[in-house]
Short mmCIF file of all heavy atoms in Angstrom, two decimals:
data_model
loop_
_atom_site.label_atom_id
_atom_site.label_comp_id
_atom_site.label_asym_id
_atom_site.label_seq_id
_atom_site.Cartn_x
_atom_site.Cartn_y
_atom_site.Cartn_z
N THR A 192 -22.56 -12.22 6.31
CA THR A 192 -23.09 -12.85 7.52
C THR A 192 -22.17 -14.02 7.87
O THR A 192 -21.54 -14.60 6.98
CB THR A 192 -24.53 -13.38 7.36
OG1 THR A 192 -24.52 -14.54 6.50
CG2 THR A 192 -25.46 -12.34 6.79
N PHE A 270 -23.50 -14.60 2.22
CA PHE A 270 -24.22 -15.22 3.33
C PHE A 270 -23.48 -16.48 3.78
O PHE A 270 -23.79 -17.58 3.36
CB PHE A 270 -25.66 -15.52 2.92
CG PHE A 270 -26.47 -14.27 2.76
CD1 PHE A 270 -26.48 -13.57 1.56
CD2 PHE A 270 -27.20 -13.76 3.82
CE1 PHE A 270 -27.20 -12.40 1.41
CE2 PHE A 270 -27.93 -12.58 3.69
CZ PHE A 270 -27.93 -11.90 2.48
N ALA A 271 -22.45 -16.26 4.62
CA ALA A 271 -21.64 -17.39 5.07
C ALA A 271 -22.15 -17.96 6.39
O ALA A 271 -21.62 -18.96 6.87
CB ALA A 271 -20.18 -16.95 5.21
N ALA A 272 -23.15 -17.32 6.99
CA ALA A 272 -23.63 -17.80 8.30
C ALA A 272 -24.30 -19.16 8.18
O ALA A 272 -24.94 -19.46 7.18
CB ALA A 272 -24.62 -16.78 8.88
N VAL A 274 -27.12 -20.45 9.56
CA VAL A 274 -28.31 -20.02 10.29
C VAL A 274 -29.11 -21.25 10.72
O VAL A 274 -29.31 -22.16 9.91
CB VAL A 274 -29.20 -19.14 9.37
CG1 VAL A 274 -30.40 -18.60 10.14
CG2 VAL A 274 -28.39 -18.01 8.76
N ALA A 275 -29.57 -21.25 11.97
CA ALA A 275 -30.40 -22.38 12.41
C ALA A 275 -31.71 -22.35 11.62
O ALA A 275 -32.32 -21.30 11.46
CB ALA A 275 -30.69 -22.24 13.90
N ASP A 276 -32.10 -23.51 11.11
CA ASP A 276 -33.33 -23.57 10.32
C ASP A 276 -34.58 -23.45 11.19
O ASP A 276 -35.61 -23.02 10.72
CB ASP A 276 -33.38 -24.88 9.53
CG ASP A 276 -32.35 -24.89 8.42
OD1 ASP A 276 -32.21 -23.85 7.75
OD2 ASP A 276 -31.66 -25.91 8.23
N ASN A 302 -37.40 -20.88 10.94
CA ASN A 302 -36.82 -19.54 10.92
C ASN A 302 -37.00 -18.92 9.56
O ASN A 302 -37.10 -19.63 8.56
CB ASN A 302 -35.32 -19.62 11.26
CG ASN A 302 -35.08 -19.45 12.74
OD1 ASN A 302 -35.85 -18.79 13.43
ND2 ASN A 302 -34.01 -20.03 13.22
N PRO A 303 -36.97 -17.59 9.48
CA PRO A 303 -37.01 -16.95 8.16
C PRO A 303 -35.75 -17.30 7.39
O PRO A 303 -34.68 -17.44 7.98
CB PRO A 303 -37.04 -15.45 8.50
CG PRO A 303 -36.48 -15.35 9.88
CD PRO A 303 -36.85 -16.62 10.57
N ASP A 304 -35.86 -17.47 6.08
CA ASP A 304 -34.67 -17.70 5.26
C ASP A 304 -34.13 -16.34 4.84
O ASP A 304 -34.72 -15.66 3.99
CB ASP A 304 -35.03 -18.56 4.04
CG ASP A 304 -33.77 -19.02 3.32
OD1 ASP A 304 -32.85 -18.18 3.14
OD2 ASP A 304 -33.71 -20.19 2.94
N ILE A 305 -33.04 -15.94 5.46
CA ILE A 305 -32.51 -14.58 5.28
C ILE A 305 -32.06 -14.38 3.84
O ILE A 305 -32.41 -13.40 3.18
CB ILE A 305 -31.34 -14.34 6.26
CG1 ILE A 305 -31.82 -14.60 7.69
CG2 ILE A 305 -30.82 -12.91 6.12
CD1 ILE A 305 -30.72 -14.71 8.72
N LEU A 306 -31.30 -15.34 3.34
CA LEU A 306 -30.77 -15.25 1.96
C LEU A 306 -31.92 -15.15 0.95
O LEU A 306 -31.93 -14.26 0.09
CB LEU A 306 -29.90 -16.49 1.69
CG LEU A 306 -29.42 -16.72 0.28
CD1 LEU A 306 -28.57 -15.56 -0.21
CD2 LEU A 306 -28.60 -18.02 0.20
N GLY A 321 -24.45 -17.16 -1.75
CA GLY A 321 -24.90 -18.01 -0.65
C GLY A 321 -23.90 -19.13 -0.42
O GLY A 321 -22.99 -19.34 -1.23
N PHE A 322 -24.07 -19.83 0.67
CA PHE A 322 -23.26 -21.03 0.95
C PHE A 322 -24.21 -22.22 0.99
O PHE A 322 -25.39 -22.06 1.31
CB PHE A 322 -22.53 -20.88 2.28
CG PHE A 322 -21.19 -20.21 2.15
CD1 PHE A 322 -21.12 -18.87 1.79
CD2 PHE A 322 -20.02 -20.91 2.37
CE1 PHE A 322 -19.89 -18.24 1.63
CE2 PHE A 322 -18.79 -20.29 2.23
CZ PHE A 322 -18.72 -18.95 1.86
N ALA A 323 -23.71 -23.38 0.69
CA ALA A 323 -24.54 -24.57 0.84
C ALA A 323 -23.73 -25.59 1.62
O ALA A 323 -22.71 -26.10 1.13
CB ALA A 323 -24.93 -25.13 -0.52
N ALA A 324 -24.16 -25.81 2.84
CA ALA A 324 -23.52 -26.82 3.68
C ALA A 324 -24.27 -28.11 3.45
O ALA A 324 -25.44 -28.21 3.79
CB ALA A 324 -23.61 -26.38 5.13
N GLU A 325 -23.60 -29.08 2.83
CA GLU A 325 -24.28 -30.34 2.50
C GLU A 325 -23.49 -31.51 3.06
O GLU A 325 -22.29 -31.40 3.32
CB GLU A 325 -24.37 -30.49 0.97
CG GLU A 325 -25.04 -29.32 0.24
CD GLU A 325 -26.54 -29.23 0.52
OE1 GLU A 325 -27.12 -30.22 0.98
OE2 GLU A 325 -27.12 -28.16 0.28
N LYS A 336 -30.31 -25.47 -4.58
CA LYS A 336 -30.44 -24.44 -3.54
C LYS A 336 -30.24 -23.05 -4.14
O LYS A 336 -30.93 -22.10 -3.79
CB LYS A 336 -29.38 -24.71 -2.46
CG LYS A 336 -29.73 -24.21 -1.10
CD LYS A 336 -28.73 -24.70 -0.06
CE LYS A 336 -29.21 -25.92 0.70
NZ LYS A 336 -28.28 -26.34 1.74
N ARG A 339 -33.40 -22.16 -5.91
CA ARG A 339 -34.52 -22.00 -4.98
C ARG A 339 -34.44 -20.67 -4.23
O ARG A 339 -35.43 -19.99 -4.03
CB ARG A 339 -34.50 -23.18 -4.00
CG ARG A 339 -35.75 -23.35 -3.20
CD ARG A 339 -35.79 -24.68 -2.47
NE ARG A 339 -34.83 -24.78 -1.39
CZ ARG A 339 -33.86 -25.67 -1.31
NH1 ARG A 339 -33.68 -26.56 -2.28
NH2 ARG A 339 -33.03 -25.69 -0.28
N LYS A 340 -33.19 -20.34 -3.82
CA LYS A 340 -33.03 -19.13 -2.99
C LYS A 340 -32.87 -17.88 -3.84
O LYS A 340 -32.99 -16.77 -3.33
CB LYS A 340 -31.84 -19.30 -2.06
CG LYS A 340 -32.00 -20.52 -1.14
CD LYS A 340 -31.27 -20.36 0.16
CE LYS A 340 -31.47 -21.59 1.03
NZ LYS A 340 -31.31 -21.32 2.45
N1 CTP B 9 -29.56 -19.22 5.09
C1 CTP B 9 -30.20 -18.08 5.50
N2 CTP B 9 -31.25 -18.16 6.37
C2 CTP B 9 -31.66 -19.36 6.83
C3 CTP B 9 -31.02 -20.54 6.42
C4 CTP B 9 -29.95 -20.43 5.56
O1 CTP B 9 -29.82 -16.99 5.08
N3 CTP B 9 -32.68 -19.40 7.67
C5 CTP B 9 -28.47 -19.11 4.11
C6 CTP B 9 -27.12 -19.53 4.62
O2 CTP B 9 -26.41 -18.43 5.17
C7 CTP B 9 -26.46 -20.05 3.36
C8 CTP B 9 -27.61 -20.60 2.57
O3 CTP B 9 -28.77 -19.97 3.06
O4 CTP B 9 -25.88 -19.02 2.60
C9 CTP B 9 -27.79 -22.09 2.64
O5 CTP B 9 -27.74 -22.55 3.95
P1 CTP B 9 -27.88 -24.10 4.26
O6 CTP B 9 -27.90 -24.27 5.73
O7 CTP B 9 -26.90 -24.86 3.45
O8 CTP B 9 -29.28 -24.40 3.59
P2 CTP B 9 -30.72 -24.54 4.18
O9 CTP B 9 -31.51 -23.33 3.87
O10 CTP B 9 -30.63 -24.94 5.59
O11 CTP B 9 -31.29 -25.72 3.28
P3 CTP B 9 -31.36 -27.31 3.58
O12 CTP B 9 -32.22 -27.44 4.77
O13 CTP B 9 -31.94 -27.84 2.33
O14 CTP B 9 -29.95 -27.74 3.78
#
Side-chain angles (χ1 to χ4, degrees):
T192 71
F270 291 86
V274 184
D276 290 317
N302 267 332
D304 190 316
I305 304 166
L306 171 60
F322 272 67
E325 305 291 342
K336 207 171 262 183
R339 194 168 69 240
K340 301 208 180 205

